[in-house]
Amino acid sequence: MRSRSTHLVIPDPLTPGEVAIEARGITFTVGQRELLSGVDLTVHAGEMLALIGPNGAGKSTLLGALTGDNHLTSGSVTLAGTPLHEWTLKQLARRRGVLLQDNGVFFPFTVEQVVEMGRAPWLGTARDNEDEVAVREAIESTDIHHLRQRQVPSLSGGERARTAFARVIASRTGILLLDEPTAALDLKHQEDVLQLARQRAANGDAVVVVLHDLGLAAAYADSITLLQRGRVAAAGTPAEVLTSERITAVYEHPVEVFPHPVTGALIVQPVRR
Amino acid sequence: MRRTLLYSGLTVAFVLIVLVSAGAGQLSISPLEVFGAIMHRIGLDLGPVPASATAETALWTVRFPRIVMAALIGAALSAAGLLMQAIFGNPLAEPGVVGVSSGAALGASATIVFGWTFLGGWTIAVTAFIAGLIATLLVYVMSRANGKTEVVTLVLTGIAVNAFAGAGLAFLTFLGTAASREQIVFWQLGSLNGSRWDQVLIILPLVVAGIIAAVIVSRRLDLLSLGERSARHLGVNVEVLRVFVIVVVALLVGASVAFAGVIAFVGLVIPHLMRMILGPAHGPLLFASLMGGAVLLLTADLVARTAVPNADLPIGMLTSLVGGPFFFWMLRRTRKRSGGWA
């Protein structure tokens, strides 16, 4: 019974530097509108890649293409060396975790129950003995311990976002795809969440994160892909991508980029005069 | 703790209502004698046997089949409600409210009026199932947007489907002979009067199969509460799950309607109450809903048989009498919570 054996297979961990996700020439059309045009993207294990761009540039659409939610018009996405369409849903769930912007829950599940759902892909495999530790760690590291028994629909937007993030973290997948994980969060929790994602990358995981805050992208990403009207406007390290000139042009608003006087880290700020 | 208490409470209530209900009626039999009759039938020398042979016959040919039917149908409708709520992502989804039951009743009535017998005793169950399936699919396709169903859309779709099924039933009533008209009225009102063992034998395997199917998918239904995309990212084949659950709902509702007519609101009230006590995890909730549904319908049937001397009230009327206001209360609550007709 082949299905039985593949059913419980645990994916090998990614080797550092291995190509985790590779997108080649992806184009995605809805009706007459081309939302993505010939986008290339490569993410390695151990790397954190930020997708940035103005509203409607196609960041979430691109993330949806990488998760397999959006069926491509042309081009290809390869995950850990295997084309996306050859993956079974079960295996995919053990390979990559996805955090969406919409993190509502239809019924009054508790925070703890929702985080436990992140362990569903491992049910019945040898790794389900990690369940308890993984859930506990995810809850501690996202600062929702005090909310464990609260019902998710009654939480604030930020608390709900952290709960959803904890669920994705608890899956302990080698690849993380995060759509605006910091959108609803206060300053401290924004830093916490990105530090956690950063930590996962340092441990050899591959992380793709959609971000609006360019300062956060500059501080946390290893590499940045800047999208503009469905095309890649620039890709490279934060220092390469985030130049005043380019950001000003793409966002159609004057922006200054300068190094922090003490640390030298890049600061991105709209010109307000 | 809570769960254990609820489960034991439901079990005790179930046993008690069976004993009381079997004994109640024109020929009164004490609960102890009912207990004795069951024990002696399964070969245990426990408790007193019923005083007269008439009582013994009444129990085994009239009352027990009716009780088994009530328990099975109560459990089936309750489970069907729970399943619908899970795939609609909406606690107000219920077979009666959204028109699945009237759809199934339409199939059953057509069978009567046109005298179809192509599958023998199973004909009516099969036509009720097919019509129920069509109705479920219709409601599902019409009322969903972005992976969930808004309250207003769901209720309005229910009105449309109920109206259409109502027109079909009216037409069949017009076409039918006096005898078949009476039967159609029976289907619209819902009744367990005249339940027989041979009907139990048809409905039992259907309901058991439906319940087993529901148990198998219960974990995946939990994940579905995160939304379709998130569920898929956790390895759930959402499309297959949806179709599977819709077929199971049609099976449970079709089996119930074929033999007892439209009994609305069981699938709304019971899962909701159980969710309030146990929380929304579908595994424990399913078990509690099955028990709760059985107890509710057994109680309703006891009232239907005994409230008015020498009369058998339609049980669908009774459940709607309680369920209508309950539905209204839930609507108000949902509206308050979401700050409008979300």
Side-chain angles (χ1 to χ4, degrees):
Chain A
M1 295 223 333
R2 196 182 135 270
S3 67
R4 188 85 205 142
S5 55
T6 58
H7 208 71
L8 297 177
V9 166
I10 294 172
D12 297 324
L14 297 166
T15 50
E18 178 186 347
V19 174
I21 302 178
E22 185 162 50
R24 282 287 157 266
I26 57 180
T27 298
F28 178 64
T29 317
V30 175
Q32 295 296 310
R33 276 174 55 81
E34 208 168 75
L35 299 183
L36 294 174
S37 323
V39 173
D40 292 332
L41 179 139
T42 308
V43 192
H44 299 90
E47 180 187 16
M48 178 148 156
L49 180 138
L51 293 177
I52 60 170
N55 291 338
K59 303 182 295 293
S60 294
T61 312
L62 176 55
L63 202 80
L66 300 182
T67 62
D69 287 339
N70 296 338
H71 293 284
L72 303 178
T73 313
S74 64
S76 68
V77 175
T78 310
L79 202 85
T82 308
L84 204 52
H85 59 86
E86 286 177 22
W87 286 83
T88 65
L89 284 170
K90 268 264 148 54
Q91 284 301 317
L92 209 50
R94 289 173 195 154
R95 184 45 100 186
R96 58 104 176 95
V98 182
L99 178 70
L100 301 175
Q101 280 184 48
D102 176 14
N103 47 37
V105 176
F106 295 153
F107 292 99
F109 283 95
T110 63
V111 166
E112 194 164 39
Q113 284 175 318
V114 167
V115 178
E116 279 166 3
M117 289 182 195
R119 299 300 301 169
W122 303 105
L123 184 74
T125 69
R127 276 183 65 180
D128 69 3
N129 55 17
E130 294 173 27
D131 286 0
E132 219 172 297
V133 183
V135 168
R136 197 173 57 230
E137 270 187 22
I139 287 180
E140 298 296 339
S141 61
T142 50
D143 189 24
I144 53 172
H145 189 261
H146 59 293
L147 303 171
R148 280 183 340 279
Q149 301 304 327
R150 289 272 302 277
Q151 296 174 349
V152 176
S154 73
L155 298 178
S156 77
E159 292 169 335
R160 222 168 32 232
R162 268 144 60 204
T163 303
F165 184 66
R167 166 173 64 74
V168 175
I169 289 288
S171 295
R172 293 193 170 176
T173 50
I175 299 174
L176 287 175
L177 301 166
L178 312 171
D179 198 352
E180 294 197 34
T182 56
L185 303 184
D186 60 36
L187 188 136
K188 165 189 153 53
H189 290 114
Q190 288 190 352
E191 296 293 324
D192 283 356
V193 160
L194 289 178
Q195 248 157 36
L196 211 58
R198 179 70 261 160
Q199 188 60 43
R200 291 282 294 259
N203 292 343
D205 293 343
V207 182
V208 179
V209 55
V210 174
L211 286 175
H212 258 301
D213 188 320
L214 302 180
L216 289 175
Y220 285 102
D222 296 302
S223 58
I224 292 183
T225 296
L226 171 66
L227 292 176
Q228 182 184 25
R229 287 187 223 103
R231 293 173 190 279
V232 177
T237 64
E240 288 164 1
V241 175
L242 299 172
T243 63
S244 311
E245 217 169 40
R246 183 178 288 127
I247 298 301
T248 299
V250 171
Y251 281 82
E252 295 171 1
H253 188 95
V255 173
E256 294 175 303
V257 181
F258 51 90
H260 187 276
V262 180
T263 63
L266 286 182
I267 294 179
V268 184
Q269 193 168 282
V271 178
R272 303 181 184 110
R273 289 195 185 96
Chain B
M1 184 58 202
R2 230 172 195 208
R3 197 186 293 183
T4 324
L5 262 177
L6 178 68
Y7 285 176
S8 0
L10 284 170
T11 312
V12 170
F14 179 77
V15 172
L16 284 181
I17 189 75
V18 165
L19 295 182
V20 170
S21 180
Q26 269 173 301
L27 178 69
S28 180
I29 305 165
S30 80
L32 212 58
E33 284 174 323
V34 174
F35 174 75
I38 299 173
M39 286 302 132
H40 282 274
R41 183 56 71 106
I42 59 172
L44 292 172
D45 193 17
L46 274 173
V49 289
S52 67
T54 333
E56 175 88 17
T57 317
L59 274 183
W60 288 103
T61 58
V62 179
R63 294 194 189 162
F64 282 148
R66 184 162 176 163
I67 281 171
V68 175
M69 282 293 261
L72 283 173
I73 289 173
L77 289 174
S78 182
L82 182 62
L83 290 172
M84 285 194 86
Q85 287 144 27
I87 58 161
F88 279 89
N90 190 322
L92 288 166
E94 201 266 343
V97 173
V98 302
V100 175
S101 299
S102 11
L106 185 60
S109 303
T111 311
I112 300 291
V113 170
F114 300 122
W116 294 333
T117 51
F118 47 88
L119 289 165
W122 286 77
T123 315
I124 207 157
V126 171
T127 50
F129 164 73
I130 293 171
L133 184 64
I134 294 170
T136 322
L137 281 170
L138 205 67
V139 174
Y140 190 80
V141 172
M142 308 259 286
S143 67
R144 283 167 38 92
N146 302 325
K148 71 176 286 191
T149 305
E150 306 295 349
V151 175
V152 173
T153 326
L154 183 74
V155 174
L156 292 181
T157 311
I159 291 176
V161 174
N162 271 320
F164 184 80
L169 285 168
F171 181 61
L172 289 172
T173 315
F174 166 76
L175 273 187
T177 59
S180 50
R181 270 179 205 167
E182 211 163 283
Q183 292 227 41
I184 292 173
V185 171
F186 160 88
W187 258 285
Q188 283 173 294
L189 299 178
S191 174
L192 290 161
N193 196 3
S195 300
R196 301 187 311 266
W197 285 119
D198 61 320
Q199 294 175 335
V200 170
L201 282 181
I202 292 176
I203 204 173
L204 181 72
L206 297 178
V207 173
V208 169
I211 290 171
I212 291 173
V215 171
I216 291 172
V217 298
S218 64
R219 262 181 172 278
R220 273 166 267 185
L221 295 178
D222 287 347
L223 298 180
L224 205 56
S225 311
L226 299 172
E228 282 187 16
R229 281 177 72 189
S230 290
R232 196 178 294 116
H233 294 150
L234 287 169
V236 178
N237 192 333
V238 177
E239 290 77 13
V240 171
L241 178 65
R242 262 191 326 225
V243 172
F244 182 78
V245 169
I246 285 176
V247 172
V248 172
V249 166
L251 181 77
L252 291 169
V253 176
S256 306
V257 169
F259 298 107
V262 178
I263 301 174
F265 294 109
V266 177
L268 182 84
V269 175
I270 292 298
H272 189 75
L273 289 179
M274 298 305 153
R275 203 178 280 123
M276 280 164 68
I277 301 171
L278 284 183
H282 287 89
L285 192 54
L286 178 66
F287 182 74
S289 296
L290 292 171
M291 292 295 288
V295 170
L296 175 72
L297 213 57
L298 280 165
T299 313
D301 189 49
L302 177 63
V303 174
R305 289 195 295 124
T306 55
V308 179
N310 299 321
D312 210 323
L313 296 176
I315 192 169
M317 180 195 85
L318 288 176
T319 59
S320 294
L321 207 60
V322 179
F326 189 89
F327 184 66
F328 188 62
W329 170 71
M330 276 185 74
L331 266 179
R332 301 275 304 178
R333 230 169 61 117
T334 315
R335 181 175 66 165
K336 209 187 251 171
R337 224 177 245 173
S338 53
W341 291 111

